[in-house]
Amino acid sequence: MSGKGVVRSIKNYAKGFSDVQIRVREATSNDSWGPSGTLMNEIAQMTYNQHDFVEIMDMIDRRLNDKGKNWRHVFKALLLLDYCLHVGSDNVVLYAKENVYVVKTLKEFQHIDDTGRDVGANVRQKAKEISNLLLDDARLREERRQRQQMRDRMIGVTDYMNETMLGTRNEDGEQVYTRPGYLDDDKELRKALEESKRLADAE
Amino acid sequence: MSYLSADKAESELAQSIKKATSIEETAPKQKHVRKCIVYTWDHRTSAVIWNILKIQPLLSDEVQTFKALITVHKIIKDGHPNVIKDALRETGWLEACARSVNGDGARGYGTLIRNYVDLLQHKLQYHREHSEFNGTFDYEEYISLKNIDDPNEGFETINDLMVLQDRIDHFQKVVFASFRMHTNNECRIASLVPLVEESYGIYKFITSMLRAMHKRTDAIDALEPLRQKFNAQHYNLLKFYYECSNLKYLTSLINVPKLPPDPPSLIDSNT
C-alpha cells in the first residue's frame, strides 16, 4: 500500500464511507494507474442494487466535479461511468442522460500539471466521447447488447480457463490473482452460470 | 445532482462568480464558469447568478465587466434552458455594462464591451422570437421538420439565424482588431471560445435545415437568396476559423472546427 493508499484508507474510516463508496473511491483515486477491470466490473454489477446504485452515482458525481489538481479523479470517474454505461444497470443510462450536462461541461476541462503537460486533454477527450454516446441512443443500445453477448459467449471459456490457469484461490475461497480484462468477469459469470443451472434444475 | 444544502451551494456559487470575474486580465477560469453552468442545471434557475452579478462591484473595472460578459455568454449558451428566460429579463444589467465605460476605456475594452452587449442582446432577441431553440443551437430533427411544414416560417427562421451569424462575424472582427502587441491578449481571446462554438452550431443547423427544405420544396429558385447567403457565410466562417487556428492559446482550449474549402451542396445530402 502506498502512502496515498494509507491516507485514503484513514479517510475512508474517518468519514465513515460505506463499502460501496470505498470501492468507487478506490477506482477513481489519484494513483497513476487506471482502475482495474475487476474493480470496475464489481462496481458495475452493484448498480443493479438500487441502494448501492445511488451511492455509486453520488460518489461518481463528486469525483466528476473535482478540481484540476485532481484531474485523475475526474478522468477515472469518466472511465468508470463509461464502463457502467456499457455493462451496468439501465438506471445508469437513465441517470447519465438526465445529468448529461455534468459530462458535457467537462469538454472544456483544463489543467496543466507541474511539468507543463496538458493533462486536461485526457478529460476533454473522454468527456466528448461519453457525451456523444449519451446523445446516440441507438449506438448505446447496440454497444450494451454487444457487451452482453460477449459475456454470454465468455461463460464457457472462462469457466474452463479458471480451472486451468486463473483459478488460484486461497483457503477462504477468495481469489488471490485475477487477470485484468474481460476474463476477470468470471466471478460474476460463475454466479450467472450457477443461476442458470439452478433454473434448469428447477424446470 | 446536487448533494449540497441550498445555502452552501449558493455561497460556493458566489465564490465561483467572484473568481470567474476577478480583476486579473486573464480568461475567466473555466472551472469557475463550469460551476455556474452546473448550478443552473442542478437548480433549474439562474436568478441567483444574476443577483450575485449585480451586487459585485464589477462595472467599475472594464476587465471585470468584460469577463462577466464572457461568463454570462457561456452560462446562457450551456446552461439550463431556463437561463435564457431569466436572461431576457436582465437586459437592464447588460445595458448597464455597455454604459459603464467611456470611449475605449483605460485598457481598451470599451468598444469590445459595447459590441459584446450588442451581440448578446441580439442573441437573446433571437431566442425570444424562436423559443424552440436551445442556447447551443443543437440541431434537433424536430425543429427542421416543424419548419418545413410551413416554408415561410422555415425561411424566416433561417434568415434570422443568418442575421445572428453575421452579428457573430462582426463581433469576432472587433475582437481581432482589438489585439494589442506585446501582450498575450488572453482575456480578449477568451471571448472567441463561445463565438467559435456558437457559430459552428448555427452553421450546422442552417446546413441541415436548408437541405431539408431543398428536399421538400420544388421551388428551388425561391431558395436562391438563402443559398447565396449561405455560401457567403461559409467563406466568412472559413476565414474566422483559420485565424482562430493560428492562436495557440485558443487551440489549446478548444478544437477549432475545420470546414471544407467550398460550401457543401445543399441539394444532395450525401454527407
Side-chain angles (χ1 to χ4, degrees), chain A residues 4 8 11 15 24-35 59-81 106 109 111 119 122-123 126:
Chain A
K4 272 256 165 76
R8 191 161 56 241
K11 252 194 192 165
K15 295 204 173 180
V24 178
R25 280 165 53 78
E26 183 68 34
T28 57
S29 69
N30 259 328
D31 303 329
S32 55
W33 51 87
M59 188 53 76
I60 288 181
D61 188 71
R62 290 188 209 197
R63 291 297 214 193
L64 286 175
N65 289 314
D66 218 323
K67 54 175 179 280
K69 195 163 68 71
N70 292 329
W71 67 273
R72 284 201 177 90
H73 286 176
V74 184
F75 181 58
K76 288 186 189 175
L78 286 171
L79 289 176
L80 180 60
L81 178 64
L106 288 170
F109 183 91
H111 185 66
V119 287
N122 301 313
V123 174
K126 200 77 213 160

mmCIF file of all heavy atoms in Angstrom, chain A residues 4 8 11 15 24-35 59-81 106 109 111 119 122-123 126:
data_model
loop_
_atom_site.group_PDB
_atom_site.id
_atom_site.type_symbol
_atom_site.label_atom_id
_atom_site.label_comp_id
_atom_site.label_asym_id
_atom_site.label_seq_id
_atom_site.Cartn_x
_atom_site.Cartn_y
_atom_site.Cartn_z
ATOM 1 N N LYS A 4 -0.231 7.254 -0.205
ATOM 2 C CA LYS A 4 -1.551 7.781 -0.562
ATOM 3 C C LYS A 4 -2.643 6.795 -0.163
ATOM 4 O O LYS A 4 -3.697 7.176 0.325
ATOM 5 C CB LYS A 4 -1.614 8.006 -2.084
ATOM 6 C CG LYS A 4 -1.128 9.367 -2.517
ATOM 7 C CD LYS A 4 -2.317 10.240 -2.875
ATOM 8 C CE LYS A 4 -1.997 11.710 -2.989
ATOM 9 N NZ LYS A 4 -1.309 12.082 -4.185
ATOM 10 N N ARG A 8 -5.827 7.313 2.173
ATOM 11 C CA ARG A 8 -7.180 7.082 1.685
ATOM 12 C C ARG A 8 -7.947 6.155 2.623
ATOM 13 O O ARG A 8 -9.107 6.384 2.912
ATOM 14 C CB ARG A 8 -7.157 6.510 0.268
ATOM 15 C CG ARG A 8 -8.544 6.506 -0.362
ATOM 16 C CD ARG A 8 -8.502 6.401 -1.864
ATOM 17 N NE ARG A 8 -7.782 5.235 -2.331
ATOM 18 C CZ ARG A 8 -6.698 5.279 -3.088
ATOM 19 N NH1 ARG A 8 -6.211 6.425 -3.469
ATOM 20 N NH2 ARG A 8 -6.100 4.174 -3.474
ATOM 21 N N LYS A 11 -8.960 8.097 5.617
ATOM 22 C CA LYS A 11 -10.087 8.969 5.257
ATOM 23 C C LYS A 11 -11.385 8.168 5.177
ATOM 24 O O LYS A 11 -12.426 8.604 5.652
ATOM 25 C CB LYS A 11 -9.821 9.609 3.887
ATOM 26 C CG LYS A 11 -9.503 11.078 3.962
ATOM 27 C CD LYS A 11 -9.594 11.659 2.563
ATOM 28 C CE LYS A 11 -9.004 13.052 2.506
ATOM 29 N NZ LYS A 11 -8.769 13.482 1.141
ATOM 30 N N LYS A 15 -14.360 9.224 7.603
ATOM 31 C CA LYS A 15 -15.596 9.787 7.069
ATOM 32 C C LYS A 15 -16.737 8.789 7.085
ATOM 33 O O LYS A 15 -17.859 9.112 6.695
ATOM 34 C CB LYS A 15 -15.373 10.288 5.631
ATOM 35 C CG LYS A 15 -14.386 11.449 5.582
ATOM 36 C CD LYS A 15 -14.613 12.280 4.344
ATOM 37 C CE LYS A 15 -13.728 13.523 4.399
ATOM 38 N NZ LYS A 15 -13.866 14.384 3.257
ATOM 39 N N VAL A 24 -15.685 2.754 -5.033
ATOM 40 C CA VAL A 24 -15.697 3.777 -6.080
ATOM 41 C C VAL A 24 -14.527 4.737 -5.876
ATOM 42 O O VAL A 24 -13.859 5.140 -6.831
ATOM 43 C CB VAL A 24 -17.036 4.554 -6.093
ATOM 44 C CG1 VAL A 24 -17.014 5.653 -7.150
ATOM 45 C CG2 VAL A 24 -18.191 3.609 -6.358
ATOM 46 N N ARG A 25 -14.250 5.083 -4.624
ATOM 47 C CA ARG A 25 -13.117 5.976 -4.350
ATOM 48 C C ARG A 25 -11.807 5.324 -4.771
ATOM 49 O O ARG A 25 -10.916 5.967 -5.303
ATOM 50 C CB ARG A 25 -13.070 6.333 -2.866
ATOM 51 C CG ARG A 25 -14.066 7.435 -2.498
ATOM 52 C CD ARG A 25 -14.291 7.541 -1.002
ATOM 53 N NE ARG A 25 -13.062 7.690 -0.232
ATOM 54 C CZ ARG A 25 -12.376 8.823 -0.121
ATOM 55 N NH1 ARG A 25 -12.811 9.901 -0.738
ATOM 56 N NH2 ARG A 25 -11.270 8.877 0.593
ATOM 57 N N GLU A 26 -11.724 4.025 -4.544
ATOM 58 C CA GLU A 26 -10.547 3.261 -4.944
ATOM 59 C C GLU A 26 -10.367 3.319 -6.472
ATOM 60 O O GLU A 26 -9.280 3.559 -6.977
ATOM 61 C CB GLU A 26 -10.732 1.809 -4.484
ATOM 62 C CG GLU A 26 -9.565 0.895 -4.755
ATOM 63 C CD GLU A 26 -8.353 1.247 -3.903
ATOM 64 O OE1 GLU A 26 -8.536 1.687 -2.739
ATOM 65 O OE2 GLU A 26 -7.239 1.097 -4.418
ATOM 66 N N ALA A 27 -11.464 3.099 -7.175
ATOM 67 C CA ALA A 27 -11.394 3.041 -8.645
ATOM 68 C C ALA A 27 -11.083 4.404 -9.257
ATOM 69 O O ALA A 27 -10.547 4.486 -10.359
ATOM 70 C CB ALA A 27 -12.713 2.516 -9.218
ATOM 71 N N THR A 28 -11.411 5.470 -8.533
ATOM 72 C CA THR A 28 -11.232 6.814 -9.100
ATOM 73 C C THR A 28 -10.195 7.600 -8.306
ATOM 74 O O THR A 28 -10.317 8.799 -8.131
ATOM 75 C CB THR A 28 -12.568 7.580 -9.083
ATOM 76 O OG1 THR A 28 -13.044 7.609 -7.729
ATOM 77 C CG2 THR A 28 -13.603 6.923 -9.948
ATOM 78 N N SER A 29 -9.172 6.902 -7.818
ATOM 79 C CA SER A 29 -8.191 7.549 -6.948
ATOM 80 C C SER A 29 -7.163 8.339 -7.757
ATOM 81 O O SER A 29 -7.159 8.311 -8.977
ATOM 82 C CB SER A 29 -7.457 6.486 -6.155
ATOM 83 O OG SER A 29 -6.636 5.753 -7.036
ATOM 84 N N ASN A 30 -6.274 8.990 -7.058
ATOM 85 C CA ASN A 30 -5.225 9.761 -7.723
ATOM 86 C C ASN A 30 -4.029 8.916 -8.130
ATOM 87 O O ASN A 30 -3.057 9.437 -8.657
ATOM 88 C CB ASN A 30 -4.762 10.897 -6.801
ATOM 89 C CG ASN A 30 -5.389 12.209 -7.214
ATOM 90 O OD1 ASN A 30 -5.638 12.431 -8.387
ATOM 91 N ND2 ASN A 30 -5.650 13.083 -6.260
ATOM 92 N N ASP A 31 -4.066 7.608 -7.862
ATOM 93 C CA ASP A 31 -2.949 6.763 -8.278
ATOM 94 C C ASP A 31 -2.786 6.850 -9.785
ATOM 95 O O ASP A 31 -3.773 6.975 -10.512
ATOM 96 C CB ASP A 31 -3.209 5.301 -7.873
ATOM 97 C CG ASP A 31 -3.437 5.183 -6.378
ATOM 98 O OD1 ASP A 31 -2.840 5.991 -5.650
ATOM 99 O OD2 ASP A 31 -4.203 4.302 -5.958
ATOM 100 N N SER A 32 -1.543 6.717 -10.238
ATOM 101 C CA SER A 32 -1.320 6.995 -11.653
ATOM 102 C C SER A 32 -1.638 5.824 -12.574
ATOM 103 O O SER A 32 -1.397 5.885 -13.758
ATOM 104 C CB SER A 32 0.118 7.444 -11.869
ATOM 105 O OG SER A 32 0.980 6.480 -11.338
ATOM 106 N N TRP A 33 -2.175 4.734 -12.021
ATOM 107 C CA TRP A 33 -2.592 3.656 -12.925
ATOM 108 C C TRP A 33 -4.109 3.634 -13.005
ATOM 109 O O TRP A 33 -4.804 4.135 -12.125
ATOM 110 C CB TRP A 33 -2.053 2.308 -12.422
ATOM 111 C CG TRP A 33 -2.349 2.055 -10.989
ATOM 112 C CD1 TRP A 33 -3.470 1.486 -10.470
ATOM 113 C CD2 TRP A 33 -1.516 2.390 -9.871
ATOM 114 N NE1 TRP A 33 -3.396 1.444 -9.115
ATOM 115 C CE2 TRP A 33 -2.202 1.989 -8.714
ATOM 116 C CE3 TRP A 33 -0.246 2.978 -9.754
ATOM 117 C CZ2 TRP A 33 -1.679 2.156 -7.437
ATOM 118 C CZ3 TRP A 33 0.257 3.148 -8.478
ATOM 119 C CH2 TRP A 33 -0.449 2.745 -7.344
ATOM 120 N N GLY A 34 -4.609 3.046 -14.050
ATOM 121 C CA GLY A 34 -6.058 3.069 -14.269
ATOM 122 C C GLY A 34 -6.786 2.133 -13.331
ATOM 123 O O GLY A 34 -6.177 1.310 -12.667
ATOM 124 N N PRO A 35 -8.112 2.303 -13.242
ATOM 125 C CA PRO A 35 -8.893 1.408 -12.402
ATOM 126 C C PRO A 35 -8.868 0.000 -12.993
ATOM 127 O O PRO A 35 -8.908 -0.159 -14.203
ATOM 128 C CB PRO A 35 -10.309 1.990 -12.452
ATOM 129 C CG PRO A 35 -10.332 2.880 -13.639
ATOM 130 C CD PRO A 35 -8.927 3.287 -13.941
ATOM 131 N N MET A 59 -21.099 9.192 -5.606
ATOM 132 C CA MET A 59 -19.647 9.300 -5.486
ATOM 133 C C MET A 59 -19.011 9.658 -6.832
ATOM 134 O O MET A 59 -18.087 10.474 -6.898
ATOM 135 C CB MET A 59 -19.072 7.979 -4.943
ATOM 136 C CG MET A 59 -17.607 8.020 -4.601
ATOM 137 S SD MET A 59 -17.124 9.349 -3.477
ATOM 138 C CE MET A 59 -17.715 8.738 -1.917
ATOM 139 N N ILE A 60 -19.515 9.068 -7.905
ATOM 140 C CA ILE A 60 -19.002 9.418 -9.238
ATOM 141 C C ILE A 60 -19.237 10.906 -9.494
ATOM 142 O O ILE A 60 -18.366 11.616 -9.989
ATOM 143 C CB ILE A 60 -19.674 8.559 -10.345
ATOM 144 C CG1 ILE A 60 -19.168 7.121 -10.269
ATOM 145 C CG2 ILE A 60 -19.385 9.132 -11.732
ATOM 146 C CD1 ILE A 60 -19.739 6.193 -11.329
ATOM 147 N N ASP A 61 -20.419 11.376 -9.104
ATOM 148 C CA ASP A 61 -20.759 12.782 -9.298
ATOM 149 C C ASP A 61 -19.768 13.691 -8.562
ATOM 150 O O ASP A 61 -19.294 14.683 -9.090
ATOM 151 C CB ASP A 61 -22.184 13.028 -8.793
ATOM 152 C CG ASP A 61 -22.663 14.427 -9.154
ATOM 153 O OD1 ASP A 61 -22.919 14.657 -10.344
ATOM 154 O OD2 ASP A 61 -22.739 15.281 -8.263
ATOM 155 N N ARG A 62 -19.444 13.311 -7.329
ATOM 156 C CA ARG A 62 -18.480 14.124 -6.572
ATOM 157 C C ARG A 62 -17.126 14.126 -7.257
ATOM 158 O O ARG A 62 -16.466 15.164 -7.330
ATOM 159 C CB ARG A 62 -18.300 13.561 -5.169
ATOM 160 C CG ARG A 62 -19.507 13.753 -4.309
ATOM 161 C CD ARG A 62 -19.158 13.348 -2.902
ATOM 162 N NE ARG A 62 -20.329 12.854 -2.203
ATOM 163 C CZ ARG A 62 -20.385 12.749 -0.895
ATOM 164 N NH1 ARG A 62 -19.337 13.077 -0.164
ATOM 165 N NH2 ARG A 62 -21.468 12.302 -0.308
ATOM 166 N N ARG A 63 -16.709 12.966 -7.719
ATOM 167 C CA ARG A 63 -15.412 12.859 -8.371
ATOM 168 C C ARG A 63 -15.375 13.672 -9.674
ATOM 169 O O ARG A 63 -14.364 14.283 -9.993
ATOM 170 C CB ARG A 63 -15.088 11.396 -8.684
ATOM 171 C CG ARG A 63 -14.824 10.524 -7.449
ATOM 172 C CD ARG A 63 -13.619 10.992 -6.675
ATOM 173 N NE ARG A 63 -12.900 9.880 -6.060
ATOM 174 C CZ ARG A 63 -11.965 10.017 -5.130
ATOM 175 N NH1 ARG A 63 -11.674 11.220 -4.678
ATOM 176 N NH2 ARG A 63 -11.334 8.978 -4.646
ATOM 177 N N LEU A 64 -16.483 13.648 -10.389
ATOM 178 C CA LEU A 64 -16.533 14.389 -11.658
ATOM 179 C C LEU A 64 -16.410 15.885 -11.427
ATOM 180 O O LEU A 64 -15.953 16.623 -12.290
ATOM 181 C CB LEU A 64 -17.834 14.099 -12.409
ATOM 182 C CG LEU A 64 -17.945 12.733 -13.085
ATOM 183 C CD1 LEU A 64 -19.332 12.564 -13.681
ATOM 184 C CD2 LEU A 64 -16.892 12.560 -14.170
ATOM 185 N N ASN A 65 -16.852 16.338 -10.264
ATOM 186 C CA ASN A 65 -16.819 17.782 -10.000
ATOM 187 C C ASN A 65 -15.576 18.213 -9.243
ATOM 188 O O ASN A 65 -15.538 19.281 -8.653
ATOM 189 C CB ASN A 65 -18.078 18.195 -9.246
ATOM 190 C CG ASN A 65 -19.286 18.129 -10.153
ATOM 191 O OD1 ASN A 65 -19.240 18.600 -11.279
ATOM 192 N ND2 ASN A 65 -20.353 17.512 -9.694
ATOM 193 N N ASP A 66 -14.557 17.369 -9.272
ATOM 194 C CA ASP A 66 -13.340 17.693 -8.535
ATOM 195 C C ASP A 66 -12.507 18.745 -9.270
ATOM 196 O O ASP A 66 -12.740 19.029 -10.435
ATOM 197 C CB ASP A 66 -12.508 16.431 -8.306
ATOM 198 C CG ASP A 66 -11.863 16.449 -6.930
ATOM 199 O OD1 ASP A 66 -11.451 17.541 -6.508
ATOM 200 O OD2 ASP A 66 -11.790 15.385 -6.287
ATOM 201 N N LYS A 67 -11.534 19.301 -8.579
ATOM 202 C CA LYS A 67 -10.776 20.396 -9.187
ATOM 203 C C LYS A 67 -9.605 19.874 -10.030
ATOM 204 O O LYS A 67 -9.252 18.696 -9.965
ATOM 205 C CB LYS A 67 -10.285 21.352 -8.112
ATOM 206 C CG LYS A 67 -9.498 20.734 -6.972
ATOM 207 C CD LYS A 67 -9.006 21.862 -6.073
ATOM 208 C CE LYS A 67 -8.229 21.364 -4.881
ATOM 209 N NZ LYS A 67 -9.053 20.871 -3.774
ATOM 210 N N GLY A 68 -9.023 20.806 -10.789
ATOM 211 C CA GLY A 68 -7.986 20.476 -11.757
ATOM 212 C C GLY A 68 -6.833 19.655 -11.213
ATOM 213 O O GLY A 68 -6.351 18.731 -11.853
ATOM 214 N N LYS A 69 -6.390 19.997 -10.001
ATOM 215 C CA LYS A 69 -5.264 19.277 -9.410
ATOM 216 C C LYS A 69 -5.581 17.785 -9.327
ATOM 217 O O LYS A 69 -4.704 16.949 -9.467
ATOM 218 C CB LYS A 69 -4.989 19.847 -8.016
ATOM 219 C CG LYS A 69 -3.645 19.437 -7.441
ATOM 220 C CD LYS A 69 -3.251 20.336 -6.269
ATOM 221 C CE LYS A 69 -4.157 20.141 -5.062
ATOM 222 N NZ LYS A 69 -3.984 18.865 -4.359
ATOM 223 N N ASN A 70 -6.833 17.486 -9.086
ATOM 224 C CA ASN A 70 -7.261 16.084 -9.005
ATOM 225 C C ASN A 70 -7.829 15.596 -10.329
ATOM 226 O O ASN A 70 -8.816 14.883 -10.362
ATOM 227 C CB ASN A 70 -8.320 15.920 -7.913
ATOM 228 C CG ASN A 70 -7.735 16.141 -6.541
ATOM 229 O OD1 ASN A 70 -6.570 15.859 -6.309
ATOM 230 N ND2 ASN A 70 -8.538 16.656 -5.628
ATOM 231 N N TRP A 71 -7.188 15.963 -11.422
ATOM 232 C CA TRP A 71 -7.745 15.609 -12.738
ATOM 233 C C TRP A 71 -7.918 14.104 -12.900
ATOM 234 O O TRP A 71 -8.776 13.642 -13.639
ATOM 235 C CB TRP A 71 -6.877 16.178 -13.855
ATOM 236 C CG TRP A 71 -5.513 15.558 -13.931
ATOM 237 C CD1 TRP A 71 -4.410 15.946 -13.244
ATOM 238 C CD2 TRP A 71 -5.129 14.424 -14.706
ATOM 239 N NE1 TRP A 71 -3.357 15.127 -13.547
ATOM 240 C CE2 TRP A 71 -3.760 14.192 -14.440
ATOM 241 C CE3 TRP A 71 -5.794 13.590 -15.616
ATOM 242 C CZ2 TRP A 71 -3.052 13.152 -15.041
ATOM 243 C CZ3 TRP A 71 -5.092 12.559 -16.215
ATOM 244 C CH2 TRP A 71 -3.735 12.344 -15.922
ATOM 245 N N ARG A 72 -7.103 13.338 -12.173
ATOM 246 C CA ARG A 72 -7.247 11.877 -12.282
ATOM 247 C C ARG A 72 -8.572 11.400 -11.705
ATOM 248 O O ARG A 72 -9.148 10.433 -12.191
ATOM 249 C CB ARG A 72 -6.093 11.169 -11.581
ATOM 250 C CG ARG A 72 -4.815 11.197 -12.369
ATOM 251 C CD ARG A 72 -3.869 10.087 -11.934
ATOM 252 N NE ARG A 72 -2.673 10.100 -12.757
ATOM 253 C CZ ARG A 72 -1.578 10.801 -12.462
ATOM 254 N NH1 ARG A 72 -1.564 11.550 -11.374
ATOM 255 N NH2 ARG A 72 -0.538 10.779 -13.253
ATOM 256 N N HIS A 73 -9.029 12.073 -10.654
ATOM 257 C CA HIS A 73 -10.361 11.733 -10.120
ATOM 258 C C HIS A 73 -11.390 11.870 -11.228
ATOM 259 O O HIS A 73 -12.235 11.000 -11.429
ATOM 260 C CB HIS A 73 -10.753 12.708 -8.997
ATOM 261 C CG HIS A 73 -10.022 12.469 -7.717
ATOM 262 N ND1 HIS A 73 -10.174 13.279 -6.628
ATOM 263 C CD2 HIS A 73 -9.139 11.522 -7.349
ATOM 264 C CE1 HIS A 73 -9.408 12.835 -5.636
ATOM 265 N NE2 HIS A 73 -8.764 11.781 -6.049
ATOM 266 N N VAL A 74 -11.307 13.005 -11.911
ATOM 267 C CA VAL A 74 -12.296 13.314 -12.943
ATOM 268 C C VAL A 74 -12.180 12.315 -14.087
ATOM 269 O O VAL A 74 -13.165 11.725 -14.532
ATOM 270 C CB VAL A 74 -12.096 14.751 -13.471
ATOM 271 C CG1 VAL A 74 -13.176 15.111 -14.479
ATOM 272 C CG2 VAL A 74 -12.095 15.752 -12.314
ATOM 273 N N PHE A 75 -10.949 12.106 -14.521
ATOM 274 C CA PHE A 75 -10.715 11.224 -15.667
ATOM 275 C C PHE A 75 -11.173 9.800 -15.373
ATOM 276 O O PHE A 75 -11.887 9.171 -16.154
ATOM 277 C CB PHE A 75 -9.226 11.246 -16.022
ATOM 278 C CG PHE A 75 -8.879 10.383 -17.198
ATOM 279 C CD1 PHE A 75 -9.485 10.594 -18.423
ATOM 280 C CD2 PHE A 75 -7.951 9.358 -17.082
ATOM 281 C CE1 PHE A 75 -9.166 9.802 -19.519
ATOM 282 C CE2 PHE A 75 -7.630 8.567 -18.173
ATOM 283 C CZ PHE A 75 -8.239 8.787 -19.389
ATOM 284 N N LYS A 76 -10.809 9.303 -14.185
ATOM 285 C CA LYS A 76 -11.171 7.917 -13.861
ATOM 286 C C LYS A 76 -12.662 7.782 -13.601
ATOM 287 O O LYS A 76 -13.248 6.736 -13.876
ATOM 288 C CB LYS A 76 -10.368 7.439 -12.660
ATOM 289 C CG LYS A 76 -8.912 7.191 -12.983
ATOM 290 C CD LYS A 76 -8.263 6.578 -11.768
ATOM 291 C CE LYS A 76 -6.765 6.488 -11.903
ATOM 292 N NZ LYS A 76 -6.209 5.998 -10.636
ATOM 293 N N ALA A 77 -13.257 8.844 -13.049
ATOM 294 C CA ALA A 77 -14.710 8.794 -12.850
ATOM 295 C C ALA A 77 -15.399 8.676 -14.211
ATOM 296 O O ALA A 77 -16.403 7.975 -14.346
ATOM 297 C CB ALA A 77 -15.183 10.035 -12.109
ATOM 298 N N LEU A 78 -14.829 9.332 -15.226
ATOM 299 C CA LEU A 78 -15.385 9.214 -16.582
ATOM 300 C C LEU A 78 -15.202 7.796 -17.112
ATOM 301 O O LEU A 78 -16.105 7.222 -17.724
ATOM 302 C CB LEU A 78 -14.721 10.221 -17.527
ATOM 303 C CG LEU A 78 -15.122 11.689 -17.366
ATOM 304 C CD1 LEU A 78 -14.229 12.592 -18.204
ATOM 305 C CD2 LEU A 78 -16.582 11.918 -17.737
ATOM 306 N N LEU A 79 -14.018 7.222 -16.859
ATOM 307 C CA LEU A 79 -13.773 5.844 -17.298
ATOM 308 C C LEU A 79 -14.777 4.889 -16.654
ATOM 309 O O LEU A 79 -15.342 4.017 -17.317
ATOM 310 C CB LEU A 79 -12.356 5.395 -16.921
ATOM 311 C CG LEU A 79 -11.189 6.012 -17.667
ATOM 312 C CD1 LEU A 79 -9.869 5.512 -17.074
ATOM 313 C CD2 LEU A 79 -11.242 5.655 -19.143
ATOM 314 N N LEU A 80 -14.961 5.081 -15.350
ATOM 315 C CA LEU A 80 -15.874 4.206 -14.611
ATOM 316 C C LEU A 80 -17.306 4.382 -15.103
ATOM 317 O O LEU A 80 -18.047 3.407 -15.277
ATOM 318 C CB LEU A 80 -15.766 4.518 -13.114
ATOM 319 C CG LEU A 80 -16.648 3.703 -12.175
ATOM 320 C CD1 LEU A 80 -16.337 2.216 -12.282
ATOM 321 C CD2 LEU A 80 -16.461 4.160 -10.732
ATOM 322 N N LEU A 81 -17.682 5.630 -15.343
ATOM 323 C CA LEU A 81 -19.038 5.902 -15.832
ATOM 324 C C LEU A 81 -19.235 5.225 -17.187
ATOM 325 O O LEU A 81 -20.264 4.582 -17.439
ATOM 326 C CB LEU A 81 -19.250 7.416 -15.965
ATOM 327 C CG LEU A 81 -20.610 7.855 -16.509
ATOM 328 C CD1 LEU A 81 -21.720 7.445 -15.551
ATOM 329 C CD2 LEU A 81 -20.655 9.359 -16.730
ATOM 330 N N LEU A 106 -17.562 19.148 -19.049
ATOM 331 C CA LEU A 106 -16.155 18.790 -18.864
ATOM 332 C C LEU A 106 -15.385 18.819 -20.185
ATOM 333 O O LEU A 106 -14.187 18.620 -20.210
ATOM 334 C CB LEU A 106 -16.038 17.391 -18.232
ATOM 335 C CG LEU A 106 -16.438 17.331 -16.756
ATOM 336 C CD1 LEU A 106 -16.535 15.894 -16.287
ATOM 337 C CD2 LEU A 106 -15.442 18.096 -15.893
ATOM 338 N N PHE A 109 -12.606 21.145 -19.851
ATOM 339 C CA PHE A 109 -11.806 20.985 -18.627
ATOM 340 C C PHE A 109 -10.348 21.333 -18.908
ATOM 341 O O PHE A 109 -9.793 20.909 -19.909
ATOM 342 C CB PHE A 109 -11.910 19.524 -18.157
ATOM 343 C CG PHE A 109 -11.199 19.242 -16.874
ATOM 344 C CD1 PHE A 109 -11.855 19.354 -15.667
ATOM 345 C CD2 PHE A 109 -9.874 18.835 -16.882
ATOM 346 C CE1 PHE A 109 -11.195 19.074 -14.479
ATOM 347 C CE2 PHE A 109 -9.207 18.558 -15.696
ATOM 348 C CZ PHE A 109 -9.868 18.677 -14.494
ATOM 349 N N HIS A 111 -6.392 21.614 -17.222
ATOM 350 C CA HIS A 111 -5.400 21.573 -16.148
ATOM 351 C C HIS A 111 -4.030 21.292 -16.725
ATOM 352 O O HIS A 111 -3.843 20.369 -17.505
ATOM 353 C CB HIS A 111 -5.746 20.509 -15.108
ATOM 354 C CG HIS A 111 -4.795 20.541 -13.943
ATOM 355 N ND1 HIS A 111 -4.737 21.608 -13.081
ATOM 356 C CD2 HIS A 111 -3.848 19.674 -13.533
ATOM 357 C CE1 HIS A 111 -3.798 21.379 -12.164
ATOM 358 N NE2 HIS A 111 -3.244 20.208 -12.415
ATOM 359 N N VAL A 119 -2.639 17.874 -19.023
ATOM 360 C CA VAL A 119 -3.295 16.617 -18.656
ATOM 361 C C VAL A 119 -4.815 16.727 -18.804
ATOM 362 O O VAL A 119 -5.517 15.726 -18.803
ATOM 363 C CB VAL A 119 -2.940 16.198 -17.217
ATOM 364 C CG1 VAL A 119 -1.511 15.697 -17.145
ATOM 365 C CG2 VAL A 119 -3.166 17.333 -16.254
ATOM 366 N N ASN A 122 -6.856 14.636 -21.590
ATOM 367 C CA ASN A 122 -7.444 13.308 -21.349
ATOM 368 C C ASN A 122 -8.917 13.434 -20.995
ATOM 369 O O ASN A 122 -9.763 12.722 -21.523
ATOM 370 C CB ASN A 122 -6.732 12.616 -20.182
ATOM 371 C CG ASN A 122 -5.258 12.446 -20.439
ATOM 372 O OD1 ASN A 122 -4.874 12.012 -21.516
ATOM 373 N ND2 ASN A 122 -4.433 12.814 -19.472
ATOM 374 N N VAL A 123 -9.181 14.347 -20.065
ATOM 375 C CA VAL A 123 -10.554 14.541 -19.591
ATOM 376 C C VAL A 123 -11.429 15.057 -20.731
ATOM 377 O O VAL A 123 -12.543 14.559 -20.950
ATOM 378 C CB VAL A 123 -10.584 15.523 -18.403
ATOM 379 C CG1 VAL A 123 -12.015 15.835 -17.991
ATOM 380 C CG2 VAL A 123 -9.811 14.951 -17.221
ATOM 381 N N LYS A 126 -12.280 12.266 -23.262
ATOM 382 C CA LYS A 126 -13.203 11.266 -22.710
ATOM 383 C C LYS A 126 -14.605 11.868 -22.556
ATOM 384 O O LYS A 126 -15.610 11.205 -22.812
ATOM 385 C CB LYS A 126 -12.663 10.798 -21.351
ATOM 386 C CG LYS A 126 -13.215 9.481 -20.880
ATOM 387 C CD LYS A 126 -12.566 8.318 -21.595
ATOM 388 C CE LYS A 126 -13.574 7.212 -21.764
ATOM 389 N NZ LYS A 126 -13.223 6.262 -22.806
#
